[in-house]
Amino acid sequence: MTAFSSVRTLGRVAVFALLVIPAACAQTKVTRIDPNAVTDLSGGWNDTDSRLVANELIQSSLSEPWLRRHTETHGGQAPVVIIGSFFNNTMEHIPVATFTKDLEKAYVTSGTVRVIATKDERSDVRNERKDQRENARADTRARQAQELGAKYMLQGSIETLQDAQGREKVVYYQINATLVDLESNEKVWTG
């Protein structure tokens, strides 16, 4: 009886495998779309939300008094900002790294502030400078101890509020952001 059961089970696996193989080999149709087009398939957070929220958040921060105060007290120089941690406090998977890159891009393209590399990025750059010290010609080496220190750090969180009745559900995304003076810990802007 045991041998028969084994053969019968093996036979089922073979039939199952024969049924799965044609389905797996079916052609997939891919349609390319404009990366700036709004595509909302699931109703969840997506690339459009990330880009739009980042741009709006940065424009909001740049229109506030902290920027004018900084330039007036620092001889017209643009402030140096680093993007810190943003936490996903939702039940949804949100790629926070993509959102922080959208924030960086919005700040950089504004031309109003200078953005420095993150801790991990600086580590890579420092390793490259070390390699140059050992292997590059002296006249082409990047100089040591020339990094900009950030004056402000942008950090925050992503939250959701949900409201549902019957088959309808509304998800409200709230992005809490704070720009902090790294020397004094003063919150110079919140949005």
Side-chain angles (χ1 to χ4, degrees):
M1 187 62 115
T2 306
F4 180 72
S5 294
S6 296
V7 171
R8 210 162 98 184
T9 303
L10 184 59
R12 286 184 188 159
V13 171
V15 170
F16 177 73
L18 289 175
L19 292 174
V20 172
I21 289 172
C25 295
Q27 276 191 331
T28 301
K29 184 177 185 212
V30 175
T31 305
R32 304 257 183 243
I33 61 171
D34 179 353
N36 294 319
V38 176
T39 306
D40 194 0
L41 300 176
S42 68
W45 180 272
N46 61 34
D47 63 316
T48 302
D49 297 318
S50 181
R51 190 173 52 252
L52 292 174
V53 169
N55 289 335
E56 178 65 31
L57 197 67
I58 297 309
Q59 288 307 312
S60 175
S61 79
L62 295 175
S63 68
E64 296 294 324
W66 75 270
L67 182 59
R68 180 185 40 77
R69 282 194 308 267
H70 175 89
T71 55
E72 286 174 357
T73 58
H74 291 85
Q77 287 192 351
V80 180
V81 176
I82 186 167
I83 306 298
S85 298
F86 273 75
F87 297 99
N88 176 11
N89 294 332
T90 72
M91 298 300 287
E92 184 179 332
H93 171 70
I94 295 178
V96 177
T98 301
F99 178 61
T100 58
K101 289 300 176 191
D102 285 340
L103 290 167
E104 282 184 356
K105 181 179 179 184
Y107 259 149
V108 169
T109 57
S110 76
T112 309
V113 301
R114 295 181 289 174
V115 179
I116 66 165
T118 64
K119 182 178 180 178
D120 291 337
E121 291 167 334
R122 288 193 311 268
S123 178
D124 286 346
V125 172
R126 288 172 182 157
N127 286 336
E128 174 59 24
R129 278 198 301 267
K130 180 180 177 189
D131 184 68
Q132 285 184 13
R133 239 186 0 257
E134 297 170 6
N135 299 302
R137 287 190 344 242
D139 62 326
T140 63
R141 291 181 194 145
R143 297 180 300 157
Q144 297 291 319
Q146 300 300 308
E147 296 179 18
L148 286 177
K151 173 73 173 155
Y152 304 99
M153 177 182 281
L154 182 68
Q155 55 191 9
S157 63
I158 303 172
E159 316 281 338
T160 54
L161 300 170
Q162 296 185 21
D163 190 17
Q165 181 172 350
R167 296 181 64 147
E168 292 188 359
K169 178 172 118 175
V170 175
V171 178
Y172 173 77
Y173 293 91
Q174 180 171 316
I175 312 305
N176 300 313
T178 305
L179 191 64
V180 178
D181 182 312
L182 288 171
E183 191 170 294
S184 68
N185 284 332
E186 177 187 4
K187 292 181 179 183
V188 296
W189 174 80
T190 60

